[in-house]
């Protein structure tokens, strides 16, 4: 008789739930989003793969369970991203001021800005890194430009954080996305 720990059982069940959630998302897309024939074929292949993956998964497949929870969990998070979640991630980054006055009306736009913020939040730490030479401390952001295009204020971050210098473009991508939304008004 095989034995497993409670932690292994919980991780296994979480991985199974990720597969089930992802199958539900794909099934919804198949029946409600009017996919192209090419996308419909991709969905069918992925659903078949998920079914097989679930059947073959074992409580002792630690690496596979970790991969499923990470990869599929991320996709599920992105799918469920909404305005309050996106705003929370922006708040964590000290960028909540950046959506003031920006018209983000569609769920897809909130999902996109939320995805960008979520990915940036994953790159930060609130503790000073041991090797802080490759990290930047973010304690404030430049405010929105005034009517003449000048940036005259700095906005303090409520909880300063560290981000790798190599990940700084993630913050810049969020700012560019929001600037484009402010410019287009959509």
């Amino acid at each position: 008789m095989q034995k497993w720990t409670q932690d292994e059982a919980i991780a296994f069940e979480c991985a199974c739930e990720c597969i089930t959630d992802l199958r539900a998302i794909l099934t919804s897309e198949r029946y409600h989003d009017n996919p192209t024939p090419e996308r419909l074929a991709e969905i069918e292949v992925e659903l078949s793969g998920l079914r097989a993956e679930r059947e073959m998964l074992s409580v002792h497949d630690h690496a596979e369970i970790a991969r499923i929870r990470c990869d599929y969990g991320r996709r599920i998070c992105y799918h469920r991203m909404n305005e309050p979640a996106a705003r929370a991630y922006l708040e964590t980054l000290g960028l909540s001021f950046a959506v003031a006055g920006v018209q983000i009306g569609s769920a897809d736009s909130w999902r996109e800005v939320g995805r960008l913020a979520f990915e940036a939040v994953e790159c930060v730490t609130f503790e000073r890194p041991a090797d802080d030479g490759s990290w930047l401390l973010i304690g404030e952001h430049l405010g929105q430009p005034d009517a003449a295009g000048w940036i005259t204020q700095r906005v303090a971050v409520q909880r300063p954080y560290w981000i790798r210098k190599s990940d700084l473009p993630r913050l810049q991508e969020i700012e560019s996305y929001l600037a484009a939304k402010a410019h287009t008004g959509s």
Side-chain angles (χ1 to χ4, degrees):
M1 183 170 148
Q2 285 188 327
K3 301 275 185 180
W4 53 83
T5 67
Q6 183 176 8
D7 287 344
E8 287 175 320
I10 290 169
F12 175 77
E13 288 301 324
C14 288
C16 291
E17 284 299 316
C18 284
I19 292 171
T20 300
D21 281 359
L22 192 52
R23 289 186 66 202
I25 290 166
L26 291 167
T27 300
S28 176
E29 182 181 350
R30 177 174 62 180
Y31 290 113
H32 300 293
D33 291 353
N34 197 22
T36 64
E38 295 82 15
R39 178 61 185 142
L40 190 57
E42 290 171 359
I43 291 170
E44 294 302 328
V45 167
E46 191 168 3
L47 284 169
S48 177
L50 288 168
R51 191 176 306 108
E53 194 170 29
R54 171 58 189 95
E55 289 172 3
M56 293 175 22
L57 192 62
S58 163
V59 71
H60 297 291
D61 294 336
H62 299 172
E64 187 64 8
I65 287 169
R67 182 197 63 79
I68 289 169
R69 291 178 67 189
C70 179
D71 294 349
Y72 297 171
R74 177 181 301 265
R75 287 179 63 188
I76 293 162
C77 178
Y78 292 164
H79 176 77
R80 293 181 178 162
M81 186 68 65
N82 57 17
E83 180 179 348
R87 286 184 182 277
Y89 290 122
L90 289 169
E91 177 68 29
T92 299
L93 296 169
L95 289 171
S96 57
F97 74 92
V99 293
V102 176
Q103 297 297 317
I104 302 178
S106 75
D108 287 341
S109 294
W110 278 111
R111 187 173 292 122
E112 180 61 14
V113 74
R115 180 192 65 79
L116 294 171
F118 174 82
E119 289 176 353
V121 167
E122 286 188 317
C123 299
V124 307
T125 181
F126 295 98
E127 303 294 324
R128 183 183 190 120
D131 171 27
D132 61 355
S134 60
W135 294 77
L136 293 171
L137 176 62
I138 306 295
E140 62 185 16
H141 293 286
L142 297 177
Q144 301 287 10
D146 62 17
W150 292 92
I151 297 176
T152 58
Q153 69 175 24
R154 295 179 180 267
V155 179
V157 173
Q158 187 174 12
R159 185 174 178 205
Y161 56 89
W162 295 83
I163 188 166
R164 282 182 208 90
K165 290 176 183 176
S166 60
D167 291 322
L168 190 58
R170 293 179 184 275
L171 290 178
Q172 294 165 330
E173 185 178 5
I174 296 166
E175 292 168 343
S176 295
Y177 182 86
L178 292 173
K181 286 290 182 189
H183 181 66
T184 62
S186 61

